[in-house]
Amino acid sequence: MRTNIKYILLLLGFIFIATTQSYAQTKEEIQEEANQKLSLNDSIPPPENLIANDSIQQDSLAPQEEQKGAVDAIIDHTADDYIIEDVVNKKVSLYNNAEITYKDVNIKAGDIKIDYKTNTVTAKGIKDSVGEYTQVPVFNQGGEESEQDSIVFNFKTDKALVYGLKTEQDGIYTLGQKMKRLNDSTIYVRKIRFTTSDKANPDYYLQTSKAKIVPGKKIIVGFTHLVVADVPTPVFLPFAYLPLTTTKTSGIVVPTYGQSVSQGFFFQNGGYYFAGNDFFDLTVLGDLYSNGSWGVNLASSYKKRYKYSGNMSFRYENLIYSVQGFDDYSKSQNYNIRWSHTQDSKANPNSKLSASVNLGSSKYYSQSLNEYNNSNALTNTLSSSVSYYRKIVGTPFNFSVSASHSQNTNTEEITMTLPSLQFNMDRIFPFAPKSGTQKNAFQKIGLNYALKGDNRMVVKEEDFFTPKMFDEAKAGIQQDVSASTNMKMLKYFTLSPSANYKEVWYFKSIEKTYDPDEQVAVTDTIDGFASFREYSAGASLSTNIYGMFKFKGKKLEAIRHTVRPSISYNYRPDFGYYYEEVQQSGDPLDKIEYTPFEGGVYGQPSKGMSQTVGMSLNNNFEAKVRDDEATGDEEFKKITILNNLNFSTSYNIAADSLKWSPVNVTAGTQIFNNKLSINGGASLDPYAINANGQRYDTYNINNGGSLFRLTRANITMSYSLSNKDFDKDEKKKDKDKDKDENEILNEQNTDLFGQSMTNDQFNNGNNPDDENSRKDEKVVLYKNSIPWSLRLSYSSTYSNSNRESEITNNSLMFTGDVELTPKWKVGVSSGYDFVNAGFTYTQLRFSRDLDSWKVNFNWVPFGDRTSYYFYIGVKSPMLSDLKYEKRSAPDQRLF
């Protein structure tokens, strides 16, 4: 683990390297003693009574022979009240907002005195009219700035004495009582504190009694301990020796601990972090349980600027349940592999390598004791894809090679394509004129070509990557050629004819023969090239119709109805000549049809001629209403009544029966200022069903029923609400937001399944940008309004395909957060299943902001994922390891 103290002391080195020219506050006596031996006192005196008495080490700011020399650059100086130059004694005094600049050094203070004889500068603050100490010295060199009570700095030797140092680096505040830099650039520090709290009296700090720093080489510190609210804690480190480095540092990762019902007491996520280099790192973590179970986690991230970046992880768990010898004793081994790779868009615009891999044991997410991402624990599908894309410059062609995997965790069936090849040609217009302007249908003819090849395997999980997996693989190549154009007809209609050709190649086929001994049909696999071809043609005719209904009301101006009707015709001949007959029983007349291409990767030839007429009708309703808050020309605004109301069906002219397909209906809208999103759908079958639940060639209305038989219907609703919806000022701010943003917000339902049970559940301080943005934010107590948010999602499905007439799904899910105070936040995610009469996955969240610290508590109170997670730690990423966390794993006996 990268230990807490190690990080702190390493940062200490960085801070003092940047502030090696820091200096201390004294009175005029210090100027007279600056060319003598100075020492540091053991306590910080008041600014007006600072004494140069060093008990750490006797040394002067500069040897006498060096002090006689002159400075080798001009010292610029300014002050508001006065600048007194003592030419005889070679001294300059500056008062009130005094500032000097020498090379890359800049010093600002209330009172500054320069001694050209000793090449020293003394800076201190001044008292204001009420006696407050103000304008404390601020030292800046090379862009690094520090603040202190007083300083004595030598321009020739770069040696300094500093009292009351205060500096900030990457969110870490360093408060030092004394600091002295010697001739060999060694820095001695006494009574120094580190904290991320920017208060005058910090919430906490890490205190070190003394330290020795050799910039760029090492840090040696003595006893260091943690102090919270000025109360020392038992957390301490007796001493430490640390090398200084500007790169990442390897270290130990301290584990968390907890209790599992089935595995007992455990330590999780403890191990070692290997820093590697600027482009690569590796984390090795392990889990250990008191009943003998164990786990290992390897994680690595890599990045090459302007080229690519990614991360990968491997997790393995060996879990033991119960005690050996008992009936319920069992073992399970689960693993999970993840890999994500992204190529920088600047690397190569004509080629791209990408990867998103998530594969492993089907039971990993349900049985893992170290998986706290709730959405993963509830998933039932794993999928992966690795692909390489290349565009052939100067041609319309491109190709890609990929490997993909899909895994159903319920059936434990894996479908893998390894490899998959695609070769495509962008649409070209061979008959377009050289000018590029296409004026007629002939010139608008466009051609497309695509080739794809797959080697596909479908196996059970136990056969994954075994010889059986590759023996049962199926391979094939498919080529598609299409041509299309469009033309205007009767001014308002668009006619789009098209033609398609498909050719499929297989390298294995089947042959069925009759076995007279067994009196059954036997299937054999034949190795060798086999192919079939299909072609089809069609055309579609579409137009747009607009209707306007005007009103004379004061609020509603008009309603516009947009209708988009479309009719299409597709013809495909009969390819039954690819089918053969075989006897399947002792009866010579008992025969079945089959094709040698059954079970192929790209299917089999179509049987029977098809002449299909497709019809669709899309509707959209919008209203024009008066906007009472608008001014000028923006008197009216447009609102959507119905986003869509669509109907579609088809009629197969060549079919012997059941020529009509069911009518599909979809609708969707958003109301209440786009806060409530409603979507629904239904399937209407015109045909009746018999006693066995099968459709037959009789219309439902002729069978004593209605015109259509409702076989399926569903509705989903999502609603987003917060206190801002009742704030007039906030409403005015939200008025100009794009509708698309609201639509996306309403469709996001990830929080409905809870949040990750880690310390970032409320994003408190884990993002450095968020932390910086809150530095100057003032906490305002709530008066009559408490910030809150609520999101609801309702889903219901009705099924009646076989007269079951039942609701198969009916659930309400919700998630919400309430900020009880500016620093207290609580949240909940849950739902209710009305079909099964029970609560869905429920999660309670509590968060407390302690300024520089944070506290999170995440609790799943019931269900098969019952668990909790407690965290308290420093918000700053620099001290993220200064924390305490405890968790309990879900009880796997409930599965």
Side-chain angles (χ1 to χ4, degrees):
M1 182 194 81
R2 296 155 288 177
T3 60
N4 303 336
I5 302 301
K6 184 174 180 180
Y7 272 137
I8 297 163
L9 297 177
L10 180 60
L11 184 58
L12 169 64
F14 295 155
I15 294 172
F16 280 104
I17 292 172
T19 58
T20 52
Q21 279 74 26
S22 300
Y23 42 91
Q25 161 76 36
T26 62
K27 288 267 310 173
E28 293 183 357
E29 298 88 358
I30 297 180
Q31 291 193 33
E32 298 177 0
E33 295 180 1
N35 55 353
Q36 301 176 5
K37 294 184 178 180
L38 298 178
S39 60
L40 296 172
N41 199 355
D42 287 338
S43 60
I44 299 179
E48 64 274 13
N49 296 314
L50 292 176
I51 301 174
N53 180 20
D54 188 3
S55 60
I56 295 180
Q57 182 169 344
Q58 295 294 325
D59 197 3
S60 63
L61 285 179
Q64 289 294 330
E65 59 271 21
E66 292 187 10
Q67 295 175 4
K68 293 179 181 179
V71 295
D72 56 358
I74 298 175
I75 299 179
D76 296 326
H77 51 270
T78 62
D80 288 353
D81 282 5
Y82 63 78
I83 300 176
I84 300 176
E85 296 190 14
D86 186 348
V87 179
V88 176
N89 296 316
K90 296 184 178 181
K91 294 182 180 180
V92 178
S93 298
L94 302 91
Y95 190 81
N96 193 13
N97 291 325
E99 180 179 358
I100 66 170
T101 301
Y102 174 74
K103 294 182 179 180
D104 63 339
V105 176
N106 178 269
I107 301 175
K108 297 178 181 178
D111 187 359
I112 297 179
K113 291 180 173 57
I114 306 173
D115 191 334
Y116 286 101
K117 289 183 179 180
T118 60
N119 295 324
T120 58
V121 59
T122 302
K124 64 179 182 178
I126 60 175
K127 288 185 178 181
D128 57 16
S129 58
V130 295
E132 294 292 333
Y133 189 64
T134 62
Q135 298 188 33
V136 295
V138 177
F139 177 83
N140 188 305
Q141 184 176 29
E144 298 294 338
E145 188 175 280
S146 64
E147 180 181 310
Q148 44 273 313
D149 291 340
S150 60
I151 56 174
V152 178
F153 179 73
N154 189 296
F155 281 97
K156 288 292 290 183
T157 63
D158 282 347
K159 291 190 289 185
L161 294 177
V162 178
Y163 285 87
L165 172 69
K166 181 180 180 181
T167 185
E168 186 267 340
Q169 181 96 7
D170 294 331
I172 302 294
Y173 293 90
T174 304
L175 310 175
Q177 187 175 17
K178 301 177 184 178
M179 186 194 84
K180 183 175 182 179
R181 176 173 176 168
L182 304 182
N183 294 336
D184 58 358
S185 299
T186 300
I187 299 174
Y188 288 92
V189 187
R190 177 166 288 190
K191 294 185 179 179
I192 190 167
R193 297 177 293 172
F194 308 97
T195 182
T196 58
S197 175
D198 59 355
K199 298 180 180 178
N201 185 24
D203 297 329
Y204 80 101
Y205 53 86
L206 292 156
Q207 182 167 292
T208 302
S209 59
K210 55 185 178 179
K212 177 182 178 180
I213 304 171
V214 180
K217 293 183 179 180
K218 59 186 176 181
I219 299 178
I220 303 174
V221 300
F223 184 85
T224 303
H225 65 278
L226 173 66
V227 179
V228 178
D230 292 328
V231 177
T233 68
V235 180
F236 68 92
L237 189 69
F239 64 89
Y241 173 89
L242 298 174
L244 290 180
T245 175
T246 58
T247 59
K248 296 183 293 184
T249 305
S250 302
I252 298 174
V253 180
V254 176
T256 60
Y257 69 93
Q259 185 74 25
S260 171
V261 176
S262 55
Q263 276 71 32
F265 184 80
F266 62 79
F267 288 102
Q268 286 182 341
N269 299 323
Y272 198 83
Y273 172 78
F274 297 92
N277 51 40
D278 294 338
F279 311 104
F280 168 81
D281 66 359
L282 175 64
T283 304
V284 180
L285 303 177
D287 308 330
L288 186 61
Y289 303 83
S290 58
N291 76 330
S293 300
W294 58 274
V296 63
N297 179 12
L298 306 178
S300 176
S301 60
Y302 57 89
K303 181 176 183 179
K304 190 169 184 180
R305 184 176 296 181
Y306 308 126
K307 292 293 185 178
Y308 53 80
S309 62
N311 54 77
M312 57 180 61
S313 67
F314 171 75
R315 296 183 179 183
Y316 179 84
E317 291 184 354
N318 182 69
L319 303 179
I320 300 174
Y321 301 95
S322 187
V323 179
Q324 191 170 7
F326 283 59
D327 294 338
D328 58 348
Y329 176 80
S330 63
K331 288 185 177 182
S332 66
Q333 292 80 32
N334 298 309
Y335 70 95
N336 181 256
I337 300 174
R338 290 187 182 182
W339 177 34
S340 176
H341 179 91
T342 304
Q343 180 175 303
D344 195 303
S345 58
K346 307 180 188 67
N348 190 336
N350 298 314
S351 66
K352 182 178 181 181
L353 174 65
S354 61
S356 177
V357 176
N358 183 13
L359 63 87
S361 305
S362 297
K363 300 296 184 183
Y364 174 79
Y365 288 117
S366 60
Q367 293 185 350
S368 174
L369 300 179
N370 197 9
E371 176 60 51
Y372 292 90
N373 191 317
N374 298 312
S375 60
N376 287 337
L378 299 175
T379 189
N380 58 3
T381 302
L382 304 180
S383 60
S384 305
S385 176
V386 180
S387 64
Y388 173 77
Y389 166 85
R390 181 78 180 184
K391 179 175 179 59
I392 304 176
V393 181
T395 71
F397 300 103
N398 62 79
F399 70 90
S400 64
V401 181
S402 63
S404 62
H405 138 272
S406 178
Q407 182 175 353
N408 189 312
T409 59
N410 293 329
T411 62
E412 298 187 5
E413 185 176 78
I414 298 176
T415 301
M416 189 168 190
T417 304
L418 180 69
S420 176
L421 171 67
Q422 291 189 353
F423 182 84
N424 301 296
M425 181 186 72
D426 297 334
R427 191 178 187 186
I428 61 173
F429 300 89
F431 306 109
K434 293 183 179 180
S435 62
T437 304
Q438 302 165 356
K439 298 181 179 180
N440 54 52
F442 181 76
Q443 294 177 348
K444 293 179 181 179
I445 294 178
L447 296 178
N448 292 87
Y449 172 79
L451 179 148
K452 58 182 178 180
D454 291 316
N455 183 43
R456 189 172 301 168
M457 296 149 280
V458 180
V459 295
K460 287 292 185 179
E461 185 176 324
E462 59 267 20
D463 298 324
F464 191 51
F465 272 108
T466 63
K468 181 179 179 181
M469 170 180 171
F470 298 96
D471 292 340
E472 298 182 355
K474 297 179 180 179
I477 295 177
Q478 176 176 310
Q479 300 180 79
D480 293 280
V481 180
S482 62
S484 61
T485 187
N486 62 83
M487 64 191 78
K488 284 289 185 179
M489 291 188 62
L490 302 178
K491 190 177 181 179
Y492 299 107
F493 294 91
T494 301
L495 179 65
S496 302
S498 62
N500 302 279
Y501 173 81
K502 179 176 74 173
E503 183 168 333
V504 177
W505 300 346
Y506 287 145
F507 306 99
K508 289 182 181 180
S509 59
I510 66 169
E511 182 181 18
K512 293 186 177 182
T513 57
Y514 176 67
D515 186 349
D517 296 332
E518 298 293 336
Q519 294 187 352
V520 294
V522 179
T523 302
D524 296 320
T525 301
I526 308 299
D527 292 330
F529 179 81
S531 64
F532 69 88
R533 296 153 190 83
E534 288 186 349
Y535 50 87
S536 62
S540 64
L541 186 67
S542 61
T543 188
N544 293 335
I545 302 174
Y546 300 95
M548 185 73 73
F549 306 91
K550 294 187 177 181
F551 299 88
K552 296 182 179 180
K554 296 182 179 180
K555 186 70 175 177
L556 180 62
E557 176 72 11
I559 292 178
R560 188 177 75 166
H561 178 201
T562 304
V563 185
R564 296 180 176 87
S566 175
I567 185 170
S568 63
Y569 172 78
N570 289 279
Y571 169 77
R572 189 199 66 227
D574 182 12
F575 297 99
Y577 50 82
Y578 287 112
Y579 286 77
E580 302 175 7
E581 287 188 345
V582 63
Q583 182 179 337
Q584 64 173 345
S585 66
D587 184 0
L589 300 179
D590 184 13
K591 296 183 178 181
I592 59 170
E593 282 188 330
Y594 81 96
T595 175
F597 308 101
E598 284 182 6
V601 175
Y602 303 115
Q604 58 195 46
S606 303
K607 191 174 184 299
M609 184 178 63
S610 172
Q611 298 185 68
T612 304
V613 178
M615 292 160 281
S616 65
L617 185 67
N618 300 338
N619 299 269
N620 174 268
F621 294 87
E622 295 175 319
K624 188 177 182 180
V625 298
R626 189 180 303 275
D627 190 352
D628 297 332
E629 299 180 359
T631 58
D633 298 333
E634 299 179 357
E635 183 178 359
F636 296 94
K637 64 178 181 180
K638 181 179 67 175
I639 62 173
T640 301
I641 301 176
L642 270 178
N643 286 339
N644 61 81
L645 176 60
N646 304 332
F647 302 87
S648 63
T649 186
S650 62
Y651 183 81
N652 190 349
I653 301 174
D656 296 332
S657 61
L658 303 174
K659 296 185 177 183
W660 285 100
S661 66
V663 178
N664 293 316
V665 184
T666 59
T669 188
Q670 278 138 346
I671 58 177
F672 300 147
N673 197 24
N674 293 328
K675 295 293 184 181
L676 176 60
S677 176
I678 305 175
N679 293 280
S683 181
L684 307 174
D685 195 340
Y687 294 104
I689 58 174
N690 56 26
N692 297 324
Q694 297 177 337
R695 301 171 71 212
Y696 66 101
D697 198 18
T698 298
Y699 292 117
N700 193 59
I701 193 172
N702 296 333
N703 195 40
S706 57
L707 178 62
F708 293 103
R709 184 170 52 86
L710 180 63
T711 59
R712 179 193 57 82
N714 69 283
I715 183 173
T716 60
M717 294 186 292
S718 62
Y719 187 65
S720 177
L721 189 65
S722 70
N723 63 295
K724 294 182 180 180
D725 297 321
F726 302 93
D727 190 328
K728 293 183 179 180
D729 294 334
E730 292 294 341
K731 284 183 178 180
K732 190 173 293 185
K733 292 179 183 179
D734 295 340
K735 183 179 178 182
D736 297 330
K737 287 185 177 180
D738 293 335
K739 183 178 70 173
D740 293 340
E741 294 180 356
N742 292 307
E743 293 174 357
I744 295 174
L745 179 64
N746 288 329
E747 294 174 358
Q748 291 176 340
N749 294 317
T750 54
D751 287 352
L752 296 172
F753 297 99
Q755 298 176 359
S756 176
M757 294 186 67
T758 58
N759 62 345
D760 63 346
Q761 55 177 306
F762 287 99
N763 294 323
N764 288 333
N766 289 283
N767 189 333
D769 296 333
D770 295 341
E771 180 67 18
N772 293 332
S773 66
R774 288 195 298 266
K775 277 187 177 181
D776 300 327
E777 181 180 340
K778 295 183 179 179
V779 175
V780 179
L781 296 178
Y782 303 144
K783 298 178 181 178
N784 58 353
S785 177
I786 296 179
W788 58 272
S789 63
L790 176 66
R791 287 182 40 226
L792 302 169
S793 179
Y794 174 76
S795 175
S796 181
T797 303
Y798 170 78
S799 180
N800 189 35
S801 59
N802 193 14
R803 293 195 184 95
E804 64 271 28
S805 185
E806 63 179 7
I807 296 178
T808 57
N809 170 53
N810 189 21
S811 61
L812 173 67
M813 303 185 72
F814 60 89
T815 181
D817 295 306
V818 179
E819 293 188 29
L820 301 177
T821 70
K823 295 181 180 296
W824 263 111
K825 186 176 182 180
V826 298
V828 60
S829 296
S830 186
Y832 191 81
D833 189 340
F834 296 97
V835 175
N836 298 313
F839 284 95
T840 61
Y841 182 88
T842 300
Q843 181 189 75
L844 303 177
R845 304 181 294 273
F846 305 88
S847 177
R848 175 71 165 118
D849 187 346
L850 299 173
D851 293 333
S852 53
W853 293 68
K854 63 177 176 180
V855 177
N856 289 336
F857 181 66
N858 197 321
W859 182 31
V860 179
F862 52 81
D864 55 7
R865 302 294 300 178
T866 303
S867 57
Y868 71 85
Y869 174 80
F870 174 79
Y871 172 90
I872 180 171
V874 176
K875 290 161 57 175
S876 172
M878 297 299 296
L879 295 179
S880 59
D881 284 333
L882 187 58
K883 63 184 178 180
Y884 170 83
E885 56 184 337
K886 185 178 181 181
R887 60 184 63 180
S888 76
D891 186 0
Q892 302 300 327
R893 296 180 304 176
L894 298 175
F895 291 96

